[in-house]
Amino acid sequence: MKKNEQLVWKLIEREISEDEFRELQDSLTRDRELRQYYQSSLETHAVLSAHFAPISQDLRFPQSEKEKPRGGTPLLWSGWAAAVLLLLFFISPVDRSGVSFTSSEDADWRGIRPIAGEAIPHRTLHLQKGSITLEFPTQTTASIAGPAFFQVIDGKSLEIFAGEATIHHRGEPGEFTLLTPVGELKDLGTRFQASIRNQANNSMVITEVLEGKVAFANASMNQNKIFKTGESITIVGTSPHDSISILPGISPDSPTENQSEGRRQIDGDIGSEPELKAIDLMLEGNLKAQINHSIIESIAESIDEKTKILENAELSFHRGREIEFAEAAMPEIEAMAHSIVEGCVDFSKISLWAASKTAEIAWIENTNDQGELISRIPYANRLEEPGEGNRLLSNLEKIGSWLESVHQLHRKKGMGWVSSFGCPEDGKLIFENRRQKLFAINQAIASIKSNLE
């Protein structure tokens, strides 16, 4: 990590000295890329801080002995240093994007709340529900539907970390770029849709070109890929710099039954059929099970919302720093584990089919003598290996994995690591409490996997 980047994180974590602060202040004034790096790093920290709270004051962000200020008293100005740098960031010469927030429908924001009719802020925004419309000076309209995380980079580019967007570009070809977790989609005078989904092992960008052409670029590719009107493609990868996979295109014009099924598998669309889940068939006629599952679905959705926030923060976390993500996000991880173990829900009583996807909809098709389809009857086809479904089981496993990482760090750094006073006895108590939470989470996961009723 470069020295200036180290100073940025020292500032955010309030461990910077006066001399280092003056050095960083001078560098930020001169270096636009460093200002962008500072903003990106601050957003990672802000996403975590805005959505989670530590369990107690005893679980503050740890400091090792060598990092604590001499004399035991923190620098008096460190509390407002970040505010001074934020002011510096805004008064430094930057390009004005001219991107305006023109309209919204049932928009439900988390954190920063833009105002319709005004310029959109240069910050990562979280649209939980509803939809909004942005107008770019490149004669580009971007409609974004929640839940979505996104950021306006400048007057000709938009970055979407997760969510769905429809882009209509009427200006010069190549003037507008949509940045995604796996690469860039450059608009060549067209309309297209993009859905960005982040999973445990990769990110997936599902794109359909409604009109014109779109060019996709990734640092691992020798040349750009061009997609034309009617093409629907799915791009899977882990970053804009790593290799990606592109699934075969699907034409929306007069699709065959196999093409329609393929599209359903890719983007969840079931065409003209009414939305139906395998679980609906499995619970048909069992009112008690339906009510219980509705409660579980609500719990799963709430946990998934919080887990995705932490997953997105982990994706944008700058590796190579002196600390690991588990250390930077320790209070949030501890809080999530606490809610799982000591909350109002006994997760060990949940069955596998309620916490994951154990079946999918299949169809029995009946045809007449001429081979024409006359009816389709749905049934629940059991999967050999459960899928994520509502992600309840996979999220419990993810939370357990994060907590295990924190636990191993505690073991590595010594018992006094998490104590506010560096006291080993305090650290041992926290270590033992966390060990019990880990055991309880692992027991709940094992119970869910074995509960096949």
Side-chain angles (χ1 to χ4, degrees), residues 15-136:
E15 297 173 0
I16 195 169
S17 67
E18 293 190 43
D19 290 339
E20 289 172 332
F21 173 69
R22 284 192 288 268
E23 180 182 350
L24 179 59
Q25 186 177 15
D26 181 61
S27 298
L28 281 167
T29 305
R30 294 180 285 101
D31 190 340
R32 185 172 183 268
E33 290 187 1
L34 182 61
R35 292 197 299 271
Q36 292 175 335
Y37 176 83
Y38 169 73
Q39 179 185 348
S40 175
S41 302
L42 194 63
E43 292 296 345
T44 299
H45 188 269
V47 167
L48 294 174
S49 302
H51 293 278
F52 296 92
I55 299 173
S56 68
Q57 292 300 318
D58 293 333
L59 291 177
R60 291 195 294 266
F61 183 81
Q63 286 183 315
S64 62
E65 291 294 330
K66 66 179 182 179
E67 292 172 330
K68 292 182 179 179
R70 293 181 180 179
T73 304
L75 295 172
L76 295 178
W77 53 269
S78 64
W80 51 263
V84 172
L85 275 178
L86 276 174
L87 178 60
L88 171 66
F89 175 80
F90 282 115
I91 64 176
S92 300
V94 294
D95 295 332
R96 297 296 179 183
S97 69
V99 179
S100 58
F101 173 23
T102 57
S103 65
S104 66
E105 183 176 351
D106 300 326
D108 180 10
W109 298 93
R110 297 292 184 270
I112 299 173
R113 183 186 302 273
I115 300 175
E118 297 185 2
I120 202 78
H122 287 270
R123 291 290 182 271
T124 298
L125 303 176
H126 179 189
L127 177 65
Q128 176 62 19
K129 295 179 182 179
S131 61
I132 66 163
T133 302
L134 306 179
E135 290 291 343
F136 288 75

Side-chain angles (χ1 to χ4, degrees), residues 166-177:
T166 300
I167 308 299
H168 185 191
H169 179 66
R170 304 172 299 280
E172 291 295 322
E175 278 192 335
F176 181 82
T177 303

Side-chain angles (χ1 to χ4, degrees), residues 146-327:
F149 288 87
F150 65 95
Q151 180 178 358
V152 171
I153 304 302
D154 51 37
K156 54 186 179 181
S157 56
L158 168 69
E159 183 168 13
I160 295 192
F161 308 103
E164 298 183 358
T166 300
I167 308 299
H168 185 191
H169 179 66
R170 304 172 299 280
E172 291 295 322
E175 278 192 335
F176 181 82
T177 303
L178 180 69
L179 290 79
T180 78
V182 299
E184 299 179 352
L185 291 165
K186 190 171 290 292
D187 203 319
L188 303 181
T190 185
R191 290 188 302 118
F192 71 95
Q193 295 175 334
S195 176
I196 294 88
R197 305 176 185 179
N198 297 308
Q199 304 176 93
N201 300 320
N202 55 48
S203 293
M204 182 165 52
V205 178
I206 304 165
T207 302
E208 182 172 344
V209 183
L210 305 176
E211 179 184 348
K213 298 179 181 179
V214 171
F216 174 76
N218 175 284
S220 68
M221 297 164 49
N222 294 327
Q223 60 183 7
N224 295 351
K225 294 283 188 181
I226 305 296
F227 304 104
K228 302 177 182 179
T229 301
E231 288 189 282
S232 175
I233 46 99
T234 300
I235 308 163
V236 181
T238 56
S239 84
H241 306 286
D242 297 328
S243 60
I244 50 95
S245 298
I246 300 179
L247 302 186
I250 300 172
S251 173
D253 298 324
S254 303
T256 65
E257 183 63 30
N258 289 337
Q259 288 175 322
S260 297
E261 182 62 28
R263 181 177 298 178
R264 286 195 288 274
Q265 292 174 355
I266 291 176
D267 63 16
D269 178 21
I270 55 174
S272 60
E273 299 289 347
E275 183 176 358
L276 182 65
K277 299 179 181 178
I279 194 67
D280 297 328
L281 295 180
M282 294 165 61
L283 301 182
E284 187 175 4
N286 190 337
L287 182 58
K288 177 183 175 181
Q290 290 173 3
I291 294 173
N292 286 336
H293 188 62
S294 296
I295 296 173
I296 292 172
E297 286 283 88
S298 298
I299 294 170
E301 182 180 359
S302 177
I303 293 175
D304 194 45
E305 177 185 339
K306 296 299 183 184
T307 305
K308 283 180 178 177
I309 292 170
L310 206 55
E311 284 178 337
N312 287 328
E314 185 176 22
L315 284 173
S316 60
F317 185 78
H318 294 279
R319 288 163 175 79
R321 296 173 47 210
E322 295 178 355
I323 64 172
E324 299 177 24
F325 175 76
E327 183 174 350

